[in-house]
């Protein structure tokens, strides 16, 4: 066990007679990529004006929402129909919920946003001002699918859609208008019934920093007692974190006949 950014100390011992330890031990560590920006984590297309959008910060640090806008593209429009400038700070691991001004079915904290006036056939995008680019797109900008987008299991009309926990990054490139589809609707979202707001206000993301060993193997004299193994962690965390390293096997070699 260790904190991010520091060396990991591990001891492999295979009998008191081993003079040199070869670290061919299999050391297991997390290797999934941590989020680097906001994502749209939930979409509620409820009855009447009960519309909600949730954003989630899965990065290692706080995010200034003043650098973002919510864009609504109504009825296949290729240009922004309604834009909402965001504000405030969103801590790491936190969500923020935006709602239609007339929405009533969610009792938790929510911020009214003019861009949350969509129907099942409208695209929504999260735009980053500093990079003049999208960090997430829901739907397909510039095309109208009719009343809704559909996939084998999901649809965007009269439904709640929650982003799957293994999705670590948003859709940053618009799918294109031919065909007028929503390619990630099936693979990235889980559908719930109309007016289900029980998931709003929190989100689960099973992503973490990439952890790699600086060297594939290492060796140390037995009487050294402790061997240092260096991990490279990306992205680096600004706060203390814990990495678990498990030794699942090991080998020992004898040096130059110096068996004792």
């Amino acid at each position: 066990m260790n904190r991010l950014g520091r060396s990991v100390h591990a001891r492999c011992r295979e009998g008191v007679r081993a003079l040199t330890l070869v670290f061919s031990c299999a050391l297991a560590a997390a290797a999934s990529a941590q989020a680097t920006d906001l994502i749209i984590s939930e979409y509620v297309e409820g009855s009447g004006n009960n519309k909600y959008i949730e954003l989630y910060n899965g990065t290692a640090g706080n995010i200034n929402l003043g650098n973002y806008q919510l864009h609504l593209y109504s009825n296949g429009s290729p240009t922004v129909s309604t834009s909402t400038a965001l504000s405030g700070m969103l801590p790491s691991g936190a969500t923020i919920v935006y709602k239609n001004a007339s929405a009533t079915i969610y009792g938790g904290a929510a911020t009214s946003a003019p861009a949350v006036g969509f129907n099942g056939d409208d695209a929504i995008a999260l735009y980053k001002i500093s990079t003049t680019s999208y960090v997430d797109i829901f739907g397909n900008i510039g095309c109208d699918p009719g009343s809704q987008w559909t996939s084998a299991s999901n649809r965007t009309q009269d439904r709640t859609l929650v982003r799957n926990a293994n999705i670590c990054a948003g859709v940053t490139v618009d799918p294109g208008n031919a065909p007028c589809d929503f390619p990630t609707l099936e693979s990235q979202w889980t559908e719930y019934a109309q007016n289900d707001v029980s998931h709003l206000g929190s989100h689960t993301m099973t992503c973490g920093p990439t952890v790699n060993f600086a060297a594939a193997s290492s060796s140390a004299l037995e009487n050294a007692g402790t061997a240092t193994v260096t991990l490279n962690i990306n992205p680096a965390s600004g706060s203390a974190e814990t990495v678990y390293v498990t030794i699942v096997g090991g080998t020992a070699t004898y040096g130059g006949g110096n068996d004792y």
Side-chain angles (χ1 to χ4, degrees):
M1 188 188 332
N2 194 41
R3 299 295 181 183
L4 285 179
R6 297 182 183 175
S7 299
V8 171
H9 298 283
R11 181 175 293 169
C12 272
R13 219 175 253 283
E14 209 153 297
V16 296
R17 297 160 62 89
L19 177 62
T20 304
L21 298 176
V22 179
F23 283 87
S24 57
C25 307
L27 303 179
S32 57
Q34 185 171 20
T36 58
D37 218 320
L38 298 173
I39 65 165
I40 298 172
S41 50
E42 189 163 348
Y43 162 96
V44 178
E45 210 281 302
S47 59
N49 291 313
N50 288 303
K51 323 289 185 181
Y52 299 88
I53 286 289
E54 179 190 85
L55 305 181
Y56 176 69
N57 177 9
T59 73
N62 299 338
I63 287 183
N64 180 5
L65 294 174
N67 194 27
Y68 298 83
Q69 299 171 345
L70 269 179
H71 289 178
L72 171 63
Y73 294 84
S74 299
N75 302 318
S77 173
T79 58
V80 179
S81 304
T82 307
S83 177
T84 297
L86 309 186
S87 62
M89 296 293 293
L90 188 63
S92 173
T95 62
I96 185 167
V97 177
Y98 295 96
K99 68 173 185 176
N100 184 286
S102 299
T104 59
I105 59 174
Y106 176 60
T111 301
S112 295
V116 187
F118 50 81
N119 292 307
D121 62 341
D122 300 329
I124 305 149
L126 180 60
Y127 180 79
K128 190 170 187 175
I129 298 169
S130 61
T131 59
T132 62
S133 62
Y134 290 112
V135 296
D136 207 358
I137 299 170
F138 181 94
N140 189 322
I141 296 170
C143 74
D144 190 338
S147 60
Q148 62 185 333
W149 281 283
T150 61
S151 66
S153 307
N154 302 332
R155 69 184 195 183
T156 57
Q157 184 181 46
D158 300 335
R159 289 292 184 270
T160 290
L161 295 168
V162 176
R163 206 69 171 268
N164 294 339
N166 66 333
I167 303 304
C168 308
V171 175
T172 59
V173 178
D174 185 56
N177 303 144
C180 183
D181 60 357
F182 186 169
T184 57
L185 179 58
E186 180 70 19
S187 61
Q188 294 195 5
W189 298 86
T190 297
E191 179 185 288
Y192 295 90
Q194 184 184 35
N195 293 333
D196 185 342
V197 293
S198 63
H199 308 275
L200 283 174
S202 65
H203 183 67
T204 298
M205 179 182 281
T206 55
C207 306
T210 299
V211 182
N212 295 307
F213 291 95
S217 63
S218 179
S219 63
L221 294 176
E222 182 185 28
N223 62 9
T226 300
T228 297
V229 180
T230 301
L231 299 179
N232 295 325
I233 301 170
N234 184 46
S237 174
S239 58
E241 301 288 349
T242 300
V243 173
Y244 294 92
V245 178
T246 304
I247 301 174
V248 296
T251 61
T253 60
Y254 303 100
N258 295 322
D259 189 6
Y260 61 94

